[in-house]
Amino acid sequence: MNTATTRGQLLSHAKVLIRQRGYNGFSYRDLAERVGVKTATIHYHFPCKDDLLIEAIDDYAADEAALMQGIDAALPAGERLSRYAELFYGTPTDQICLCGMLAADFASLSDRARQAVQSFYRTHERWLGNVVADGQRDGSLEWCGDAEAAGRYLFAAFQGTLMSSRLFQTPSRRHDVVASMRIQPRRD
Amino acid sequence: MNTATTRGQLLSHAKVLIRQRGYNGFSYRDLAERVGVKTATIHYHFPCKDDLLIEAIDDYAADEAALMQGIDAALPAGERLSRYAELFYGTPTDQICLCGMLAADFASLSDRARQAVQSFYRTHERWLGNVVADGQRDGSLEWCGDAEAAGRYLFAAFQGTLMSSRLFQTPSRRHDVVASMRIQPRRD
DNA sequence: GTCTATAAACAGATAGAC
DNA sequence: GTCTATCTGTTTATAGAC
């Protein structure tokens, strides 16, 4: 996404607006004012609101996937989990995860948008599930039970924590997820 | 809340609409059609949308608090936690927690509504924190670390799990929170 | 590509009859 | 209490000039 172009600026601001106010909480007018164009310009680049939404999700998902895949798979699982958590810690205090917000807006979404949000969730759940499985093997994470279920559970906990950290304006709450886990120093 | 009256029906349907679509996702027209009145009737009972919202939150919070306080405090903590989880399991598959939804809609809420949502969160976080503290004492819950933080964390996990269980239309996901905890049979 | 102008539907809200 | 009628502003979206 090139933020130098009008199109890139529209996408960039749209992602922020969705993360702050949700899909039904912002209008083409809001977006146009922030970028400094007229609403007709948005319609030129994104004919309808759903087109804008789909591109925003894909864009966001690609960015987050890149950050996640940037975590060295050779590290002990406990360390990888800590680094994943750090990605959350950087979230602006007035925003939540774009796909966490859209999961709340589920009823208002097109089929395509729903699938994109589900795909985002699955990608992160699977990554976390693999980390837990590795942690069970290398002993760097203490977790009894199904690693796949742990991945789903951990991702839900991250999302819920991001939500309440914004609700109370207390970024420190974001540390609750990792703090609740017993991360062990590597045994080998 | 008396569901026999128009006012009660309005509140009842408003709570469902908020839990399905969020505060910005439904209109007076939507609500009027469901109840079978005209929009002016809603304005008679609830002059502006924020009045309706506040009453919906208070109403919901009172109902949930009653259910929560209905859990016998004499039970072992592990059992109390399981019963709390059962309250979540009964959520209709197209809805999430009203206050979980409004936490997402945070940016669109009045100060009063924000405070009501925060109060709901605090009540449930505190209750869960007390359960964890009791569980540490009676040995029915295995949890190392601060019980208060555990309360915040568990509530966030419940909320996040409710969200993803709706996103994927898989109610079984709601079991992930309790399944992840090591609930021990009472030692005494 | 971006604009002005405009459409058509919808939003929350009010006045006043019954 | 509930209605009809109406107001005022906003919404997404399109047509056509530049």
Side-chain angles (χ1 to χ4, degrees):
Chain A
M1 193 198 65
N2 182 358
T3 49
T5 63
T6 297
R7 186 192 163 79
Q9 287 228 301
L10 286 169
L11 266 177
S12 172
H13 281 86
K15 286 190 287 184
V16 172
L17 279 167
I18 294 170
R19 295 178 66 181
Q20 288 172 332
R21 312 190 47 88
Y23 184 64
N24 294 315
F26 81 100
S27 66
Y28 269 46
R29 194 200 245 181
D30 297 324
L31 179 55
E33 277 170 6
R34 272 166 182 75
V35 177
V37 295
K38 300 294 171 180
T39 61
T41 300
I42 308 178
H43 282 285
Y44 170 77
H45 293 286
F46 307 99
C48 75
K49 208 182 175 185
D50 186 53
D51 297 323
L52 174 63
L53 176 65
I54 298 291
E55 287 226 44
I57 301 171
D58 289 347
D59 215 65
Y60 180 79
D63 285 353
E64 296 297 311
L67 289 170
M68 197 168 70
Q69 279 146 21
I71 298 172
D72 186 356
L75 291 167
E79 179 62 25
R80 274 189 282 156
L81 184 63
S82 297
R83 301 220 179 168
Y84 183 86
E86 276 164 29
L87 301 180
F88 276 80
Y89 301 159
T91 305
T93 54
D94 63 338
Q95 297 178 36
I96 58 173
C97 169
L98 184 130
C99 289
M101 179 64 90
L102 294 176
D105 290 335
F106 185 70
S108 307
L109 304 186
S110 66
D111 273 353
R112 231 185 122 198
R114 289 179 181 188
Q115 279 160 27
V117 174
Q118 287 174 339
S119 162
F120 179 89
Y121 264 69
R122 279 203 201 90
T123 300
H124 285 252
E125 287 171 351
R126 206 171 297 146
W127 190 91
L128 285 166
N130 287 337
V131 166
V132 170
D134 288 350
Q136 288 173 332
R137 271 192 291 274
D138 74 12
S140 66
L141 284 175
E142 191 184 295
W143 192 290
C144 8
D146 183 34
E148 210 175 307
R152 292 196 300 268
Y153 169 71
L154 278 175
F155 190 62
F158 275 118
Q159 291 284 0
T161 297
L162 211 43
M163 194 79 93
S164 66
S165 95
R166 181 180 72 157
L167 177 64
F168 290 104
Q169 294 293 298
T170 51
S172 61
R173 279 173 171 256
R174 298 174 189 183
H175 294 268
D176 286 346
V177 181
V178 169
S180 80
M181 297 201 59
R182 292 140 299 281
I183 299 179
Q184 314 292 328
R186 183 119 103 154
R187 278 207 276 261
D188 59 34
Chain B
M1 193 200 66
N2 181 358
T3 49
T5 64
T6 296
R7 185 192 164 78
Q9 286 227 302
L10 286 169
L11 267 177
S12 171
H13 281 86
K15 287 191 287 183
V16 172
L17 278 167
I18 294 169
R19 295 178 67 180
Q20 288 172 332
R21 312 190 47 89
Y23 184 64
N24 295 315
F26 81 100
S27 66
Y28 270 44
R29 192 200 248 181
D30 296 323
L31 179 55
E33 278 170 6
R34 271 165 183 73
V35 177
V37 295
K38 299 296 171 180
T39 62
T41 300
I42 308 178
H43 282 286
Y44 170 79
H45 292 286
F46 307 98
C48 74
K49 207 182 175 184
D50 186 53
D51 297 324
L52 174 63
L53 176 66
I54 298 290
E55 288 226 45
I57 301 172
D58 289 348
D59 214 66
Y60 180 79
D63 286 352
E64 296 297 311
L67 290 171
M68 196 167 71
Q69 278 146 23
I71 298 172
D72 186 355
L75 290 167
E79 178 63 24
R80 274 190 282 156
L81 184 64
S82 296
R83 300 220 180 168
Y84 183 86
E86 275 164 29
L87 301 180
F88 276 80
Y89 301 159
T91 305
T93 54
D94 63 338
Q95 297 178 38
I96 59 173
C97 168
L98 184 129
C99 289
M101 179 64 90
L102 294 175
D105 289 335
F106 185 69
S108 307
L109 304 186
S110 66
D111 273 353
R112 230 184 122 200
R114 288 178 182 189
Q115 278 159 28
V117 174
Q118 286 175 338
S119 163
F120 178 89
Y121 263 69
R122 279 203 202 88
T123 301
H124 285 253
E125 287 170 350
R126 206 172 296 146
W127 190 91
L128 285 167
N130 287 338
V131 166
V132 170
D134 288 350
Q136 288 172 331
R137 271 193 290 275
D138 74 11
S140 66
L141 283 176
E142 190 184 296
W143 192 290
C144 7
D146 183 35
E148 210 174 309
R152 293 196 301 269
Y153 169 72
L154 278 175
F155 189 62
F158 275 118
Q159 291 284 359
T161 297
L162 211 42
M163 193 78 92
S164 66
S165 94
R166 182 180 69 158
L167 176 63
F168 289 104
Q169 295 292 299
T170 51
S172 62
R173 278 173 171 256
R174 298 174 189 181
H175 295 269
D176 286 346
V177 181
V178 168
S180 80
M181 297 200 61
R182 292 139 300 280
I183 300 178
Q184 313 291 329
R186 183 119 106 151
R187 277 207 278 260
D188 57 34

